[in-house]
Amino acid sequence: MLNRYCKQGRGCLGPVSLVIFAVIWRITPVVPHPQCLDFKPPFQPPEELTFCVMYKNFGCCDSAKDRELMDKFYRVMDNFDYYGYEKCAGYVQDIICQECSPFAAHLYDAEDSSTPVKTLPGLCGDYCSEFWLKCRSTITLFTGDLQLEELEQDRDRFCQYLQLGDPDYCYPHLLVNEQLTRNLGRVTANSEGCLQLCLEEVANGLRNPLAMVHANDGTHRFFIAEQVGLVWTYLPDRSRLAKPFLNISAAVLTSPWEGDERGFLGLVLHPYFKFNGKLYVYYSVEMDFEEKIRISEFRISASDMNAVDHSSERIILEVDEPSSNHNGGQLLFADDGYLYIFTGDGGMAGDPFGKFGNSQNKSALLGKVLRIDVDNNNRGPLYTIPRDNPFIHEPQARPEVYAYGVRNMWRCSVDRGDPITREGKGRIFCGDVGQNKYEEVDIIEKGKNYGWRAKEGFSCYDKKLCANSSLDDVLPIYAYPHKMGKSVTGGYVYRGCEYPNMNGMYIFGDFMSGRLMILQENKRTRQWDYNEICMGTGQTCMFPGLINNYYQYIISFAEDEAGELYFMSTGVPSATSYSGVVYKLVDPSRRAPPRKCHYNPLPVKVKSRLINFVPKEKLVVESLPNKRPKAKATKAPVRHPPRATEAPQPATPDWLEEFMQILRKQQETTTATPTTTKPAKSRKGSREKGRQGRRRKGHRQLESAIQNGTLRLVNKEGRHNQGRVEIYIQNEWGTVCDDLWNIKAAAVVCRQLGFLYVVRASKKAQFGEGKNLRILLDDVQCEGYEDSLLDCKHAEIGIHNCDHHEDAGVICGNEEYGEY
C-alpha cells in the first residue's frame, strides 16, 4: 500500500514492485498462463509507464492505457480530502492497476472470452479485509456493479465475492509467487526443455499444400499452391476466391500415390510483381514418355489481379529427370534480385549417375543450386547468366550453377534480417533431404560444394569420394539422425513483428516424424543451438482461436507479407487428399505491444465468388505428447509413420521407399475385392471405425453369390479407393470402356463402393489394362444418382468399339479425408 502519494507530479511508486527482467528467449519450465483482458498474451510496453509502474517492464498496458487508468484514479480520489487521500490512495492505485497485470484475465476471472469481466480484481482475503476496513467508501466510486454496492456493508460477503477459483492468482500474493513471476515473458518449456508454442488455423481442405507466397504489394493477400497444379488466392480475412489464381493441373505430372514427389513443386512471385505481374513456377511434366522438370514464367491477367493469364506461359528451363523422385522444387529470389532454382540429384538412391553422380558433376543441372537473371527478358533470351556466377569461366561447367553437391533440397528461404540491426539479412537457408542416416540444414554460399554424394550430413557416404582431398565441401549448420526424422522440411528465420521472442529463430520440421524444430545462432560461438517445439499443454494455448495439434506430415513453411510464420501439413500425403491445413505459429508467452504491428491492407478488386474460412481444428485440453503432434482420432490417418523414438532402421535406398513399405505393411489388402450393389450408408465416428467399415475383408466371395453389377477396383498398389473399374455381369468379370466415361459415371461407382465422393474419372487405362478380361460395358451414360452402372444407359452387354488401352477407372474419396 502507498505510504505517500505525489499528487502534483501525478507519479508514484507502487507498494510492491514486481521486478520483471528484460524479456529474453530462454528455456525455463513454467506453469502459469499470463493473459490480458483482451484475451491475448502480455507485452513489453514500448514507452515507460508513469502510473502503473509496477508493470512497466511487462504487462497488459501501454502508455495510453496507463494514462486512462491514471484518470480513473483521479476521478475516484478527487472525492476525498487529504486524510482520505493518504489512507486510501495506495489501495485504489493497487486495484486499478491490476488491469495492467500480466495475469489480468485471471484476476478479473475472465480467462474465457464468453465470461463477463468482473469490475474489481480478485483480492486475497487478508488484503481484501484490510481494504474493506479502511477504504470501503471507495467501492461505489470504483464501479457501477450493483451487487458490489449491496455487499459493501458486509465484509465477509464482499471479500467472498472477490475470491477467485484459483487462489494462486489473487492480488497481491501472486506478486511474490515465484511459480508465476520468475518466467514471465519467456517462451514456456516442459520438463524436457521442449519449447511450447501454439497454432492458429489459417486454411484447410487443401490437397498437399506445398507453397504459400505473398504478393508483396500491400494487399496482404497470399497464394497457396496444391501439388495437383492449382493455386488459390486468399485475402487477409482468410476468405478464398472460388476461382483459382492458376490452374495448370492438366499439364502437371503427378498421381494419387502417397509419397509421390512429382507435381506442382514451386512458386515464386517476381520481386516487382506489383509492377510487372510476373511469377515463376516449377513443376513436373511428361513429354514423349520422358519425365522432366519445367520452370516457366507467367503473367498476371490484364483484367483480373487475382488470376493468371494462362496463355502467357513461357518455358524458362527444362531438365530431364531420370527417375520420379528427388525432383527438387524450390524457387526463390534472393536479395541480389536473381532467380534461384534448387534441383534434386535425379532420383533413385545414392546418386548413381555417371562416375561421381549428378551432384558433383558441374556440367549437369541436377543436384544443384542454379542462379539466373530473368529481368529484361521481354525480348531476346528468356534468361541470362549473372556476371559473378562462380563457374562461368569453367569450360566444363554449366554457367547457371551457383552451388553444387546437394541431394534434394526441400524448402529454402531468404532471411529478412533482424528488424533493427539487419543482422543475418540475405542468408539462404535450405533443408537437404538425406539418404539413409542423416538430414541436414545448410546456408547456401556462392561456389560452395555441399558434399553429396561424398557426404551425408557430417558423415561419409561414398568413402572413396569422401577421402578425396579436393572435395573442399561445406558442412551443414546442423544435421540430425533418422531416429529423429527421415525427411527434413526447410523453414524460415522468424523476423515477424507479433512475437518478439521468436526473432532470429530458424524454425523447420520433418515430414516423416512430424517434429517441429528450432535452430538459434549462438552469438559468441557462432554455432547453432537446437531445440524442439512441442504444442502447449494445460492452459498454455487457451486463447481465443488457438489450437495445440496439427497433422504430422509437414510439407512446407511460409511467411506472409508482415513476416509472420506458417507451415503446411497434411494427414494423408497424397496429391488428391483434401486433408491439407495451413497453420500460423503463435508464441503464447509474449506479444508485441498493441498497434505496433497494425497494418491496413490495400483493397483487392475481387471478380470471383468468395468462400469464407471456417476453421475445423479444435484445442485439445488434455496433455499432449511432448515431441510429436497429437494423433487425432477424427483426423489423423490410420497409417502412421514410425515413431520418432524408434531406433534407426537399417539402411534403405531412400526415405520414400521406406515410407511406402510402412504404408503397405499397415494397409489392409483391398485390391480386387468385390462388393455388393447395395449403396453403403454414410459412416461417421472415429477414423478407425470409418476406415474399417469401408474396407472389405480380403476373402473372395463365391462366384455364384455375386450379383450382376457388382464392382471391384483393381490396381497394382493395393489402394482400396482407386483403380481400374471391373464389373460382374452374367457370371464373368469384365472391364468398362472409357467412351463417354465421365464424373457422373464415376460417382455411381464410388457411391456403390461405399465412398461419399468421387475425385476423378480416369481414362486411357491409367490403372493398367485388363487384357485377360472381356470388355463388357461401353458408351456408359449416367445421371449420377443410379444404384449401379447397369442402371445407366449403355451399349449392349459385351458389344463395344474400343480396346483395353481405353479401360476406365476411378479415384474415390470419403468425408474423413474431405475428398471430392
Side-chain angles (χ1 to χ4, degrees):
M1 184 174 62
L2 278 177
N3 296 321
R4 181 83 54 183
Y5 182 74
C6 180
K7 185 172 182 179
Q8 268 81 20
R10 295 199 175 189
C12 59
L13 180 64
V16 183
S17 293
L18 176 58
V19 180
I20 305 174
F21 297 100
V23 181
I24 58 174
W25 181 282
R26 223 170 118 187
I27 307 168
T28 44
V30 291
V31 178
H33 179 236
Q35 188 180 45
C36 300
L37 287 176
D38 61 358
F39 311 107
K40 295 180 180 179
F43 55 88
Q44 187 173 7
E47 300 175 8
E48 189 167 317
L49 306 185
T50 58
F51 180 65
C52 298
V53 293
M54 65 281 284
Y55 300 120
K56 66 180 181 180
N57 291 323
F58 191 66
C60 293
C61 291
D62 58 10
S63 57
K65 183 66 176 179
D66 187 55
R67 289 191 296 270
E68 177 187 321
L69 295 178
M70 189 184 336
D71 291 341
K72 181 178 181 180
F73 170 84
Y74 278 109
R75 286 196 302 271
V76 174
M77 297 310 302
D78 283 348
N79 293 280
F80 293 86
D81 57 16
Y82 178 83
Y83 176 75
Y85 220 103
E86 185 174 35
K87 184 173 66 168
C88 296
Y91 286 109
V92 173
Q93 184 194 13
D94 287 352
I95 292 172
I96 286 178
C97 282
Q98 294 320 301
E99 290 189 40
C100 297
S101 168
F103 301 103
H106 295 273
L107 282 164
Y108 286 85
D109 204 16
E111 298 95 325
D112 191 313
S113 58
S114 63
T115 304
V117 178
K118 286 188 174 182
T119 52
L120 288 180
L123 303 179
C124 301
D126 53 351
Y127 181 89
C128 181
S129 295
E130 189 177 337
F131 165 68
W132 186 89
L133 287 170
K134 295 181 179 181
C135 301
R136 64 177 176 272
S137 59
T138 64
I139 294 173
T140 56
L141 301 174
F142 265 114
T143 173
D145 189 333
L146 297 178
Q147 188 171 2
L148 274 177
E149 292 179 14
E150 292 175 2
L151 299 174
E152 181 184 350
Q153 302 305 317
D154 188 324
R155 181 185 64 179
D156 292 340
R157 291 179 63 200
F158 174 78
C159 290
Q160 185 177 8
Y161 179 78
L162 292 183
Q163 280 184 354
L164 297 175
D166 188 344
D168 289 335
Y169 285 98
C170 71
Y171 179 83
H173 293 176
L174 86 167
L175 298 179
V176 292
N177 186 333
E178 288 190 6
Q179 288 295 105
L180 296 178
T181 61
R182 66 182 175 184
N183 299 297
L184 279 174
R186 300 167 183 169
V187 174
T188 59
N190 64 12
S191 59
E192 298 180 8
C194 186
L195 303 179
Q196 297 191 60
L197 297 182
C198 305
L199 303 175
E200 189 175 344
E201 186 182 359
V202 173
N204 53 40
L206 293 160
R207 292 171 291 183
N208 270 11
L210 45 70
M212 171 179 160
V213 299
H214 59 84
N216 197 31
D217 60 358
T219 63
H220 288 267
R221 59 193 164 135
F222 50 93
F223 309 99
I224 299 178
E226 297 178 314
Q227 187 177 351
V228 290
L230 280 85
V231 181
W232 302 97
T233 305
Y234 287 80
L235 301 183
D237 65 359
R238 298 177 183 173
S239 59
R240 176 173 68 84
L241 272 62
K243 178 183 177 182
F245 177 71
L246 175 67
N247 183 358
I248 56 171
S249 56
V252 169
L253 173 64
T254 188
S255 77
W257 304 335
E258 294 181 9
D260 193 341
E261 299 180 29
R262 302 167 301 174
F264 188 106
L265 302 177
L267 168 69
V268 67
L269 306 188
H270 193 280
Y272 297 106
F273 172 78
K274 179 178 180 180
F275 306 104
N276 62 25
K278 290 184 177 182
L279 60 144
Y280 299 85
V281 300
Y282 185 128
Y283 62 101
S284 305
V285 295
E286 186 176 45
M287 301 174 62
D288 299 325
F289 302 102
E290 297 292 333
E291 294 185 12
K292 299 175 182 287
I293 54 173
R294 174 183 290 172
I295 291 85
S296 287
E297 176 189 271
F298 286 88
R299 285 181 181 269
I300 201 74
S301 169
S303 60
D304 188 349
M305 66 184 299
N306 297 304
V308 169
D309 179 359
H310 291 73
S311 66
S312 68
E313 181 176 13
R314 298 196 299 171
I315 299 173
I316 300 291
L317 185 67
E318 284 187 342
V319 183
D320 290 337
E321 274 286 352
S323 185
S324 61
N325 59 339
H326 301 184
N327 301 301
Q330 182 68 51
L331 295 174
L332 59 81
F333 282 94
D335 284 3
D336 55 19
Y338 297 129
L339 177 63
Y340 287 71
I341 304 168
F342 298 79
T343 62
D345 66 6
M348 298 191 187
D351 193 6
F353 308 102
K355 186 176 181 181
F356 304 112
N358 282 324
S359 295
Q360 292 296 320
N361 179 7
K362 286 181 281 188
S363 67
L365 294 179
L366 294 172
K368 306 293 186 299
V369 180
L370 311 178
R371 183 174 75 154
I372 61 176
D373 186 352
V374 292
D375 287 343
N376 305 310
N377 66 351
N378 293 335
R379 296 181 181 179
L382 294 178
Y383 71 88
T384 57
I385 305 299
R387 293 182 178 180
D388 63 340
N389 266 16
F391 307 112
I392 196 169
H393 299 299
E394 287 191 19
Q396 301 303 318
R398 288 292 297 259
E400 296 92 343
V401 176
Y402 182 79
Y404 64 106
V406 306
R407 185 176 179 272
N408 191 38
M409 286 187 165
W410 183 247
R411 292 314 176 234
C412 306
S413 63
V414 180
D415 186 359
R416 294 189 180 197
D418 185 274
I420 299 174
T421 67
R422 314 310 295 169
E423 183 180 1
K425 189 177 188 307
R427 295 180 298 183
I428 301 175
F429 289 79
C430 288
D432 198 5
V433 180
Q435 181 66 46
N436 51 34
K437 288 186 178 180
Y438 296 99
E439 305 297 307
E440 67 181 67
V441 176
D442 299 294
I443 295 179
I444 303 303
E445 300 178 56
K446 181 171 70 175
K448 299 298 185 180
N449 178 6
Y450 288 85
W452 176 251
R453 73 181 185 197
K455 290 183 178 178
E456 178 187 9
F458 295 104
S459 69
C460 289
Y461 178 81
D462 184 319
K463 294 183 179 180
K464 185 176 180 180
L465 278 178
C466 192
N468 192 327
S469 59
S470 64
L471 185 64
D472 192 26
D473 62 312
V474 176
L475 294 177
I477 63 171
Y478 182 72
Y480 60 91
H482 275 191
K483 67 180 180 181
M484 292 173 58
K486 299 179 181 179
S487 182
V488 65
T489 300
Y492 280 78
V493 178
Y494 179 83
R495 299 299 187 184
C497 172
E498 295 181 15
Y499 306 109
N501 281 343
M502 292 167 58
N503 180 44
M505 302 296 104
Y506 177 71
I507 299 178
F508 65 110
D510 188 276
F511 174 82
M512 287 288 285
S513 68
R515 288 176 187 261
L516 286 169
M517 297 170 275
I518 288 176
L519 295 178
Q520 183 180 15
E521 188 175 18
N522 186 309
K523 305 299 182 186
R524 183 177 58 84
T525 65
R526 292 297 170 184
Q527 300 298 309
W528 292 82
D529 298 328
Y530 170 84
N531 282 111
E532 283 191 30
I533 294 174
C534 50
M535 294 294 96
T537 58
Q539 290 186 317
T540 303
C541 297
M542 292 185 69
F543 294 89
L546 297 192
I547 58 174
N548 55 0
N549 53 92
Y550 61 92
Y551 284 134
Q552 71 180 63
Y553 296 108
I554 301 172
I555 304 174
S556 191
F557 286 79
E559 62 180 3
D560 63 17
E561 192 166 344
E564 300 308 320
L565 194 57
Y566 303 76
F567 72 92
M568 288 148 273
S569 67
T570 184
V572 182
S574 164
T576 58
S577 173
Y578 287 79
S579 60
V581 181
V582 180
Y583 305 93
K584 180 181 179 181
L585 285 159
V586 174
D587 174 13
S589 64
R590 178 192 173 196
R591 58 167 160 154
R595 293 176 291 279
K596 180 180 180 180
C597 306
H598 179 73
Y599 56 84
N600 292 311
L602 295 176
V604 178
K605 295 180 180 179
V606 175
K607 296 187 176 183
S608 171
R609 179 173 59 89
L610 286 177
I611 301 174
N612 292 326
F613 170 63
V614 179
K616 297 180 179 179
E617 307 304 315
K618 303 294 183 183
L619 178 73
V620 178
V621 178
E622 64 267 25
S623 297
L624 300 176
N626 291 330
K627 298 185 180 180
R628 292 175 57 83
K630 181 179 181 295
K632 297 176 288 183
T634 59
K635 290 291 183 182
V638 170
R639 300 183 289 277
H640 299 295
R643 295 185 178 274
T645 54
E646 290 179 356
Q649 300 296 317
T652 56
D654 70 4
W655 76 267
L656 178 59
E657 180 178 330
E658 182 172 353
F659 176 57
M660 297 306 295
Q661 289 174 353
I662 293 168
L663 294 179
R664 288 166 186 154
K665 286 179 181 179
Q666 297 186 358
Q667 184 178 25
E668 295 178 3
T669 303
T670 59
T671 305
T673 301
T675 180
T676 64
T677 58
K678 182 178 180 180
K681 296 181 180 179
S682 174
R683 296 176 175 86
K684 299 186 181 292
S686 71
R687 166 61 53 85
E688 190 68 32
K689 289 183 179 179
R691 296 291 298 261
Q692 289 176 347
R694 272 188 288 276
R695 289 183 178 179
R696 304 294 191 261
K697 298 295 183 182
H699 65 275
R700 293 184 60 85
Q701 297 181 10
L702 296 176
E703 296 292 317
S704 59
I706 301 177
Q707 302 175 13
N708 278 341
T710 296
L711 299 174
R712 65 186 182 186
L713 300 182
V714 178
N715 61 80
K716 296 178 181 179
E717 291 74 34
R719 298 290 303 277
H720 72 293
N721 69 321
Q722 57 192 256
R724 180 176 66 250
V725 174
E726 295 186 358
I727 187 168
Y728 187 82
I729 305 175
Q730 298 174 359
N731 298 320
E732 67 173 317
W733 287 98
T735 63
V736 180
C737 183
D738 66 13
D739 290 345
L740 305 180
W741 188 251
N742 59 21
I743 199 75
K744 291 182 179 180
V748 173
V749 172
C750 291
R751 188 174 63 254
Q752 183 176 334
L753 292 173
F755 295 94
L756 299 179
Y757 304 106
V758 57
V759 175
R760 183 184 302 169
S762 69
K763 299 184 178 183
K764 304 299 181 184
Q766 177 183 343
F767 297 101
E769 300 180 12
K771 292 183 178 180
N772 60 328
L773 302 175
R774 284 205 307 144
I775 298 173
L776 296 181
L777 282 186
D778 191 10
D779 295 335
V780 178
Q781 301 178 66
C782 301
E783 295 297 326
Y785 53 76
E786 293 87 350
D787 290 336
S788 165
L789 291 181
L790 294 181
D791 296 331
C792 303
K793 295 180 181 179
H794 54 78
E796 189 176 345
I797 303 299
I799 304 299
H800 61 85
N801 60 352
C802 53
D803 202 348
H804 279 295
H805 69 272
E806 299 173 89
D807 281 347
V810 295
I811 302 172
C812 304
N814 56 67
E815 65 178 351
E816 277 86 357
Y817 291 175
E819 294 174 341
Y820 296 86

